[in-house]
Amino acid sequence: MSFTPMAKKKSLQEAIADWEKEHEGEKLSDAEWVDLIFRGISDLDSNSLNYIKNCKKLSLSSNFITKIPDLHFDNLEILSLGRNKIRAIRGLDFLGKTLKELWISYNEIEKLDGLKSLIKLEKLYIGNNLISKIDELNSLSNLPELKDVVFKGNPFTLENPSLWNSKPQDRNPTELYPEIQKRLPNVQIIDGNTV
């Protein structure tokens, strides 16, 4: 599969119009699975988000999104925001009782405190971000359903010598699993590996 460069930057409203044109009259507002990847979306405005708020799965990956506005979806279970330019997790509080999966790898996130309200969250894929301290995982300790996580590629998994028992050339990422499990005892899968 070859990589197709992203289109020019555009608004969410323009991306919705493009999607509806491509789908010959279907309304995105009726779709349960909304896939808007590689659309060049730069901003998420509330009016356009309200238009698609009935979906259960929303994929906005591989765009130019820098901020998450307050999301008010009644049925959203899966949210994919990977490969954007997001620096902070905000605006997810309303999703606390429905969101089961958050895919937000390959962004610029340093802190995890914006996830505390997601009590139904089962999967969190937040690899390849800028989380430098393993203690950030403490923000996730009150998420009772969290079972599957990806942290690989964050600075705390690569550069923190106090977490490693071996020399750099002998390191195996599984050495961090006990430290992760100390903070998240309900987790059963870390970086794709059953623990």
Side-chain angles (χ1 to χ4, degrees):
M1 185 168 117
S2 64
F3 176 73
T4 305
M6 274 197 259
K8 67 178 178 92
K9 290 184 180 181
K10 60 177 73 173
S11 69
L12 179 57
Q13 186 175 12
E14 291 170 309
I16 290 170
D18 290 347
W19 186 96
E20 289 181 342
K21 185 177 178 182
E22 291 166 15
H23 290 82
E24 299 177 3
E26 269 186 71
K27 293 290 183 198
L28 199 56
S29 59
D30 298 331
E32 285 191 5
W33 181 359
V34 175
D35 188 351
L36 294 171
I37 64 170
F38 290 110
R39 297 286 178 158
I41 300 167
S42 58
D43 293 309
L44 298 178
D45 66 278
S46 297
N47 289 335
S48 297
L49 284 169
N50 284 335
Y51 181 72
I52 59 174
K53 73 181 221 170
N54 292 320
C55 67
K56 290 184 179 181
K57 179 178 180 183
L58 175 59
S59 182
L60 294 162
S61 293
S62 300
N63 284 291
F64 299 109
I65 300 164
T66 58
K67 293 180 183 174
I68 306 169
D70 287 339
L71 299 178
H72 292 276
F73 292 84
D74 293 327
N75 303 307
L76 192 64
E77 295 178 3
I78 301 171
L79 177 59
S80 179
L81 289 164
R83 296 192 185 274
N84 278 290
K85 300 286 182 193
I86 299 167
R87 292 179 178 233
I89 300 173
R90 293 189 184 105
L92 302 180
D93 292 341
F94 188 81
L95 305 178
K97 294 183 180 175
T98 62
L99 196 67
K100 294 179 180 179
E101 298 183 22
L102 179 60
W103 301 49
I104 197 161
S105 293
Y106 293 96
N107 277 285
E108 300 170 5
I109 297 165
E110 296 178 12
K111 305 276 185 203
L112 298 175
D113 54 350
L115 299 170
K116 290 178 180 177
S117 65
L118 301 179
I119 59 172
K120 295 293 183 183
L121 196 66
E122 298 170 6
K123 292 182 181 183
L124 174 63
Y125 296 169
I126 193 163
N128 296 290
N129 273 282
L130 301 175
I131 303 165
S132 62
K133 297 184 174 159
I134 196 167
D135 288 339
E136 275 301 312
L137 276 56
N138 296 339
S139 295
L140 308 174
S141 64
N142 291 328
L143 303 181
E145 305 296 323
L146 190 60
K147 305 281 189 265
D148 185 355
V149 295
V150 171
F151 296 120
K152 186 168 58 172
N154 280 288
F156 84 83
T157 67
L158 304 169
E159 301 165 2
N160 195 333
S162 67
L163 299 174
W164 294 98
N165 297 321
S166 58
K167 297 176 184 173
Q169 65 271 19
D170 299 328
R171 288 182 181 159
N172 182 330
T174 60
E175 287 182 55
L176 289 181
Y177 293 178
E179 288 297 323
I180 293 171
Q181 284 187 294
K182 260 192 238 178
R183 292 157 176 85
L184 305 173
N186 295 330
V187 166
Q188 299 170 357
I189 301 171
I190 300 172
D191 297 337
N193 298 305
T194 303
V195 292

PDB file of all heavy atoms in Angstrom, residues 26-51:
ATOM      1  N   GLU A  26     -25.962  10.143   0.760  1.00  0.00           N
ATOM      2  CA  GLU A  26     -26.058   9.663   2.141  1.00  0.00           C
ATOM      3  C   GLU A  26     -25.759  10.822   3.075  1.00  0.00           C
ATOM      4  O   GLU A  26     -24.934  11.675   2.770  1.00  0.00           O
ATOM      5  CB  GLU A  26     -25.022   8.566   2.396  1.00  0.00           C
ATOM      6  CG  GLU A  26     -25.487   7.176   2.148  1.00  0.00           C
ATOM      7  CD  GLU A  26     -24.414   6.182   2.593  1.00  0.00           C
ATOM      8  OE1 GLU A  26     -24.211   6.040   3.821  1.00  0.00           O
ATOM      9  OE2 GLU A  26     -23.810   5.566   1.709  1.00  0.00           O
ATOM     10  N   LYS A  27     -26.396  10.854   4.197  1.00  0.00           N
ATOM     11  CA  LYS A  27     -26.149  11.890   5.194  1.00  0.00           C
ATOM     12  C   LYS A  27     -25.226  11.333   6.280  1.00  0.00           C
ATOM     13  O   LYS A  27     -25.488  10.289   6.858  1.00  0.00           O
ATOM     14  CB  LYS A  27     -27.459  12.373   5.832  1.00  0.00           C
ATOM     15  CG  LYS A  27     -28.361  13.106   4.862  1.00  0.00           C
ATOM     16  CD  LYS A  27     -27.745  14.419   4.516  1.00  0.00           C
ATOM     17  CE  LYS A  27     -28.635  15.221   3.598  1.00  0.00           C
ATOM     18  NZ  LYS A  27     -27.924  16.283   2.927  1.00  0.00           N
ATOM     19  N   LEU A  28     -24.167  12.045   6.519  1.00  0.00           N
ATOM     20  CA  LEU A  28     -23.222  11.638   7.555  1.00  0.00           C
ATOM     21  C   LEU A  28     -23.898  11.639   8.924  1.00  0.00           C
ATOM     22  O   LEU A  28     -23.529  10.872   9.806  1.00  0.00           O
ATOM     23  CB  LEU A  28     -22.006  12.565   7.543  1.00  0.00           C
ATOM     24  CG  LEU A  28     -20.751  12.069   8.222  1.00  0.00           C
ATOM     25  CD1 LEU A  28     -20.308  10.732   7.663  1.00  0.00           C
ATOM     26  CD2 LEU A  28     -19.634  13.066   8.097  1.00  0.00           C
ATOM     27  N   SER A  29     -24.910  12.454   9.073  1.00  0.00           N
ATOM     28  CA  SER A  29     -25.619  12.523  10.357  1.00  0.00           C
ATOM     29  C   SER A  29     -26.335  11.213  10.680  1.00  0.00           C
ATOM     30  O   SER A  29     -26.657  10.952  11.838  1.00  0.00           O
ATOM     31  CB  SER A  29     -26.626  13.673  10.344  1.00  0.00           C
ATOM     32  OG  SER A  29     -27.558  13.489   9.303  1.00  0.00           O
ATOM     33  N   ASP A  30     -26.575  10.357   9.668  1.00  0.00           N
ATOM     34  CA  ASP A  30     -27.255   9.075   9.886  1.00  0.00           C
ATOM     35  C   ASP A  30     -26.283   7.921  10.108  1.00  0.00           C
ATOM     36  O   ASP A  30     -26.697   6.830  10.485  1.00  0.00           O
ATOM     37  CB  ASP A  30     -28.140   8.732   8.683  1.00  0.00           C
ATOM     38  CG  ASP A  30     -29.257   9.755   8.465  1.00  0.00           C
ATOM     39  OD1 ASP A  30     -29.699  10.362   9.461  1.00  0.00           O
ATOM     40  OD2 ASP A  30     -29.665   9.937   7.302  1.00  0.00           O
ATOM     41  N   ALA A  31     -25.019   8.143   9.843  1.00  0.00           N
ATOM     42  CA  ALA A  31     -24.036   7.061   9.901  1.00  0.00           C
ATOM     43  C   ALA A  31     -23.666   6.705  11.340  1.00  0.00           C
ATOM     44  O   ALA A  31     -23.487   7.584  12.173  1.00  0.00           O
ATOM     45  CB  ALA A  31     -22.787   7.455   9.127  1.00  0.00           C
ATOM     46  N   GLU A  32     -23.536   5.402  11.617  1.00  0.00           N
ATOM     47  CA  GLU A  32     -23.074   4.952  12.923  1.00  0.00           C
ATOM     48  C   GLU A  32     -21.551   4.883  12.967  1.00  0.00           C
ATOM     49  O   GLU A  32     -20.956   4.951  14.024  1.00  0.00           O
ATOM     50  CB  GLU A  32     -23.659   3.579  13.257  1.00  0.00           C
ATOM     51  CG  GLU A  32     -25.119   3.651  13.636  1.00  0.00           C
ATOM     52  CD  GLU A  32     -25.627   2.343  14.228  1.00  0.00           C
ATOM     53  OE1 GLU A  32     -24.831   1.401  14.441  1.00  0.00           O
ATOM     54  OE2 GLU A  32     -26.828   2.276  14.484  1.00  0.00           O
ATOM     55  N   TRP A  33     -20.929   4.723  11.796  1.00  0.00           N
ATOM     56  CA  TRP A  33     -19.482   4.670  11.704  1.00  0.00           C
ATOM     57  C   TRP A  33     -19.048   5.806  10.795  1.00  0.00           C
ATOM     58  O   TRP A  33     -19.283   5.785   9.595  1.00  0.00           O
ATOM     59  CB  TRP A  33     -19.026   3.336  11.144  1.00  0.00           C
ATOM     60  CG  TRP A  33     -17.534   3.188  11.036  1.00  0.00           C
ATOM     61  CD1 TRP A  33     -16.586   4.109  11.365  1.00  0.00           C
ATOM     62  CD2 TRP A  33     -16.825   2.056  10.551  1.00  0.00           C
ATOM     63  NE1 TRP A  33     -15.331   3.625  11.117  1.00  0.00           N
ATOM     64  CE2 TRP A  33     -15.444   2.352  10.617  1.00  0.00           C
ATOM     65  CE3 TRP A  33     -17.209   0.817  10.080  1.00  0.00           C
ATOM     66  CZ2 TRP A  33     -14.459   1.460  10.218  1.00  0.00           C
ATOM     67  CZ3 TRP A  33     -16.216  -0.071   9.688  1.00  0.00           C
ATOM     68  CH2 TRP A  33     -14.867   0.249   9.759  1.00  0.00           C
ATOM     69  N   VAL A  34     -18.412   6.812  11.364  1.00  0.00           N
ATOM     70  CA  VAL A  34     -17.984   7.995  10.625  1.00  0.00           C
ATOM     71  C   VAL A  34     -16.472   7.934  10.468  1.00  0.00           C
ATOM     72  O   VAL A  34     -15.736   7.983  11.449  1.00  0.00           O
ATOM     73  CB  VAL A  34     -18.413   9.294  11.351  1.00  0.00           C
ATOM     74  CG1 VAL A  34     -17.862  10.505  10.641  1.00  0.00           C
ATOM     75  CG2 VAL A  34     -19.934   9.357  11.446  1.00  0.00           C
ATOM     76  N   ASP A  35     -16.019   7.801   9.225  1.00  0.00           N
ATOM     77  CA  ASP A  35     -14.610   7.668   8.914  1.00  0.00           C
ATOM     78  C   ASP A  35     -14.158   8.883   8.110  1.00  0.00           C
ATOM     79  O   ASP A  35     -14.479   9.004   6.932  1.00  0.00           O
ATOM     80  CB  ASP A  35     -14.391   6.385   8.109  1.00  0.00           C
ATOM     81  CG  ASP A  35     -12.922   6.068   7.913  1.00  0.00           C
ATOM     82  OD1 ASP A  35     -12.072   6.921   8.249  1.00  0.00           O
ATOM     83  OD2 ASP A  35     -12.622   4.971   7.418  1.00  0.00           O
ATOM     84  N   LEU A  36     -13.436   9.779   8.767  1.00  0.00           N
ATOM     85  CA  LEU A  36     -12.944  11.003   8.129  1.00  0.00           C
ATOM     86  C   LEU A  36     -11.415  11.087   8.231  1.00  0.00           C
ATOM     87  O   LEU A  36     -10.850  12.110   8.589  1.00  0.00           O
ATOM     88  CB  LEU A  36     -13.600  12.231   8.768  1.00  0.00           C
ATOM     89  CG  LEU A  36     -15.102  12.360   8.560  1.00  0.00           C
ATOM     90  CD1 LEU A  36     -15.677  13.482   9.409  1.00  0.00           C
ATOM     91  CD2 LEU A  36     -15.438  12.579   7.089  1.00  0.00           C
ATOM     92  N   ILE A  37     -10.743   9.973   7.903  1.00  0.00           N
ATOM     93  CA  ILE A  37      -9.283   9.971   7.931  1.00  0.00           C
ATOM     94  C   ILE A  37      -8.739  10.579   6.644  1.00  0.00           C
ATOM     95  O   ILE A  37      -9.406  10.565   5.614  1.00  0.00           O
ATOM     96  CB  ILE A  37      -8.704   8.561   8.165  1.00  0.00           C
ATOM     97  CG1 ILE A  37      -9.044   7.614   7.015  1.00  0.00           C
ATOM     98  CG2 ILE A  37      -9.197   7.986   9.477  1.00  0.00           C
ATOM     99  CD1 ILE A  37      -8.305   6.303   7.074  1.00  0.00           C
ATOM    100  N   PHE A  38      -7.541  11.118   6.715  1.00  0.00           N
ATOM    101  CA  PHE A  38      -6.854  11.727   5.570  1.00  0.00           C
ATOM    102  C   PHE A  38      -7.728  12.759   4.853  1.00  0.00           C
ATOM    103  O   PHE A  38      -7.760  12.810   3.626  1.00  0.00           O
ATOM    104  CB  PHE A  38      -6.406  10.658   4.558  1.00  0.00           C
ATOM    105  CG  PHE A  38      -5.284   9.798   5.041  1.00  0.00           C
ATOM    106  CD1 PHE A  38      -5.505   8.467   5.350  1.00  0.00           C
ATOM    107  CD2 PHE A  38      -4.003  10.312   5.201  1.00  0.00           C
ATOM    108  CE1 PHE A  38      -4.466   7.655   5.796  1.00  0.00           C
ATOM    109  CE2 PHE A  38      -2.958   9.509   5.649  1.00  0.00           C
ATOM    110  CZ  PHE A  38      -3.204   8.178   5.935  1.00  0.00           C
ATOM    111  N   ARG A  39      -8.422  13.594   5.602  1.00  0.00           N
ATOM    112  CA  ARG A  39      -9.295  14.603   4.995  1.00  0.00           C
ATOM    113  C   ARG A  39      -8.715  16.009   5.094  1.00  0.00           C
ATOM    114  O   ARG A  39      -9.328  16.953   4.627  1.00  0.00           O
ATOM    115  CB  ARG A  39     -10.679  14.583   5.662  1.00  0.00           C
ATOM    116  CG  ARG A  39     -11.450  13.293   5.495  1.00  0.00           C
ATOM    117  CD  ARG A  39     -11.976  13.178   4.098  1.00  0.00           C
ATOM    118  NE  ARG A  39     -12.677  11.906   3.915  1.00  0.00           N
ATOM    119  CZ  ARG A  39     -13.563  11.701   2.983  1.00  0.00           C
ATOM    120  NH1 ARG A  39     -13.874  12.653   2.138  1.00  0.00           N
ATOM    121  NH2 ARG A  39     -14.132  10.526   2.878  1.00  0.00           N
ATOM    122  N   GLY A  40      -7.572  16.164   5.733  1.00  0.00           N
ATOM    123  CA  GLY A  40      -6.962  17.487   5.864  1.00  0.00           C
ATOM    124  C   GLY A  40      -7.639  18.367   6.895  1.00  0.00           C
ATOM    125  O   GLY A  40      -7.450  19.581   6.902  1.00  0.00           O
ATOM    126  N   ILE A  41      -8.421  17.774   7.783  1.00  0.00           N
ATOM    127  CA  ILE A  41      -9.182  18.539   8.784  1.00  0.00           C
ATOM    128  C   ILE A  41      -8.217  19.218   9.750  1.00  0.00           C
ATOM    129  O   ILE A  41      -7.370  18.581  10.360  1.00  0.00           O
ATOM    130  CB  ILE A  41     -10.153  17.624   9.549  1.00  0.00           C
ATOM    131  CG1 ILE A  41     -11.145  16.986   8.577  1.00  0.00           C
ATOM    132  CG2 ILE A  41     -10.869  18.392  10.653  1.00  0.00           C
ATOM    133  CD1 ILE A  41     -11.939  15.832   9.168  1.00  0.00           C
ATOM    134  N   SER A  42      -8.405  20.527   9.892  1.00  0.00           N
ATOM    135  CA  SER A  42      -7.522  21.281  10.779  1.00  0.00           C
ATOM    136  C   SER A  42      -8.183  21.655  12.097  1.00  0.00           C
ATOM    137  O   SER A  42      -7.506  21.767  13.111  1.00  0.00           O
ATOM    138  CB  SER A  42      -7.019  22.539  10.076  1.00  0.00           C
ATOM    139  OG  SER A  42      -8.107  23.332   9.668  1.00  0.00           O
ATOM    140  N   ASP A  43      -9.474  21.859  12.091  1.00  0.00           N
ATOM    141  CA  ASP A  43     -10.185  22.255  13.312  1.00  0.00           C
ATOM    142  C   ASP A  43     -11.471  21.461  13.456  1.00  0.00           C
ATOM    143  O   ASP A  43     -12.131  21.144  12.475  1.00  0.00           O
ATOM    144  CB  ASP A  43     -10.537  23.748  13.274  1.00  0.00           C
ATOM    145  CG  ASP A  43      -9.304  24.624  13.332  1.00  0.00           C
ATOM    146  OD1 ASP A  43      -8.487  24.400  14.235  1.00  0.00           O
ATOM    147  OD2 ASP A  43      -9.164  25.510  12.466  1.00  0.00           O
ATOM    148  N   LEU A  44     -11.817  21.194  14.710  1.00  0.00           N
ATOM    149  CA  LEU A  44     -13.085  20.541  15.017  1.00  0.00           C
ATOM    150  C   LEU A  44     -14.011  21.572  15.641  1.00  0.00           C
ATOM    151  O   LEU A  44     -13.824  21.942  16.785  1.00  0.00           O
ATOM    152  CB  LEU A  44     -12.861  19.379  15.992  1.00  0.00           C
ATOM    153  CG  LEU A  44     -11.973  18.248  15.514  1.00  0.00           C
ATOM    154  CD1 LEU A  44     -11.814  17.207  16.606  1.00  0.00           C
ATOM    155  CD2 LEU A  44     -12.531  17.612  14.254  1.00  0.00           C
ATOM    156  N   ASP A  45     -14.982  22.038  14.880  1.00  0.00           N
ATOM    157  CA  ASP A  45     -15.903  23.029  15.429  1.00  0.00           C
ATOM    158  C   ASP A  45     -17.168  22.345  15.949  1.00  0.00           C
ATOM    159  O   ASP A  45     -17.602  21.324  15.430  1.00  0.00           O
ATOM    160  CB  ASP A  45     -16.244  24.097  14.376  1.00  0.00           C
ATOM    161  CG  ASP A  45     -17.035  23.535  13.212  1.00  0.00           C
ATOM    162  OD1 ASP A  45     -16.414  22.960  12.290  1.00  0.00           O
ATOM    163  OD2 ASP A  45     -18.264  23.661  13.240  1.00  0.00           O
ATOM    164  N   SER A  46     -17.740  22.918  16.985  1.00  0.00           N
ATOM    165  CA  SER A  46     -18.892  22.317  17.665  1.00  0.00           C
ATOM    166  C   SER A  46     -20.104  22.149  16.762  1.00  0.00           C
ATOM    167  O   SER A  46     -20.785  21.128  16.826  1.00  0.00           O
ATOM    168  CB  SER A  46     -19.276  23.159  18.884  1.00  0.00           C
ATOM    169  OG  SER A  46     -18.213  23.162  19.795  1.00  0.00           O
ATOM    170  N   ASN A  47     -20.390  23.123  15.912  1.00  0.00           N
ATOM    171  CA  ASN A  47     -21.564  23.011  15.038  1.00  0.00           C
ATOM    172  C   ASN A  47     -21.462  21.817  14.111  1.00  0.00           C
ATOM    173  O   ASN A  47     -22.422  21.070  13.933  1.00  0.00           O
ATOM    174  CB  ASN A  47     -21.762  24.297  14.226  1.00  0.00           C
ATOM    175  CG  ASN A  47     -22.225  25.445  15.089  1.00  0.00           C
ATOM    176  OD1 ASN A  47     -22.829  25.246  16.140  1.00  0.00           O
ATOM    177  ND2 ASN A  47     -21.923  26.653  14.662  1.00  0.00           N
ATOM    178  N   SER A  48     -20.298  21.622  13.504  1.00  0.00           N
ATOM    179  CA  SER A  48     -20.116  20.488  12.603  1.00  0.00           C
ATOM    180  C   SER A  48     -20.126  19.170  13.374  1.00  0.00           C
ATOM    181  O   SER A  48     -20.669  18.169  12.904  1.00  0.00           O
ATOM    182  CB  SER A  48     -18.812  20.629  11.820  1.00  0.00           C
ATOM    183  OG  SER A  48     -18.856  21.770  11.004  1.00  0.00           O
ATOM    184  N   LEU A  49     -19.540  19.153  14.561  1.00  0.00           N
ATOM    185  CA  LEU A  49     -19.570  17.938  15.372  1.00  0.00           C
ATOM    186  C   LEU A  49     -20.990  17.575  15.773  1.00  0.00           C
ATOM    187  O   LEU A  49     -21.351  16.401  15.801  1.00  0.00           O
ATOM    188  CB  LEU A  49     -18.691  18.114  16.612  1.00  0.00           C
ATOM    189  CG  LEU A  49     -17.199  18.024  16.367  1.00  0.00           C
ATOM    190  CD1 LEU A  49     -16.436  18.487  17.592  1.00  0.00           C
ATOM    191  CD2 LEU A  49     -16.780  16.618  15.981  1.00  0.00           C
ATOM    192  N   ASN A  50     -21.810  18.576  16.071  1.00  0.00           N
ATOM    193  CA  ASN A  50     -23.208  18.300  16.420  1.00  0.00           C
ATOM    194  C   ASN A  50     -23.954  17.634  15.271  1.00  0.00           C
ATOM    195  O   ASN A  50     -24.882  16.870  15.485  1.00  0.00           O
ATOM    196  CB  ASN A  50     -23.926  19.578  16.845  1.00  0.00           C
ATOM    197  CG  ASN A  50     -23.544  19.999  18.246  1.00  0.00           C
ATOM    198  OD1 ASN A  50     -23.149  19.179  19.060  1.00  0.00           O
ATOM    199  ND2 ASN A  50     -23.657  21.282  18.526  1.00  0.00           N
ATOM    200  N   TYR A  51     -23.530  17.906  14.050  1.00  0.00           N
ATOM    201  CA  TYR A  51     -24.162  17.314  12.872  1.00  0.00           C
ATOM    202  C   TYR A  51     -23.947  15.807  12.827  1.00  0.00           C
ATOM    203  O   TYR A  51     -24.798  15.065  12.345  1.00  0.00           O
ATOM    204  CB  TYR A  51     -23.598  17.978  11.607  1.00  0.00           C
ATOM    205  CG  TYR A  51     -24.195  17.457  10.325  1.00  0.00           C
ATOM    206  CD1 TYR A  51     -25.503  17.766   9.965  1.00  0.00           C
ATOM    207  CD2 TYR A  51     -23.452  16.652   9.472  1.00  0.00           C
ATOM    208  CE1 TYR A  51     -26.049  17.294   8.786  1.00  0.00           C
ATOM    209  CE2 TYR A  51     -23.990  16.172   8.291  1.00  0.00           C
ATOM    210  CZ  TYR A  51     -25.290  16.496   7.949  1.00  0.00           C
ATOM    211  OH  TYR A  51     -25.831  16.015   6.782  1.00  0.00           O
TER     212      TYR A  51
END
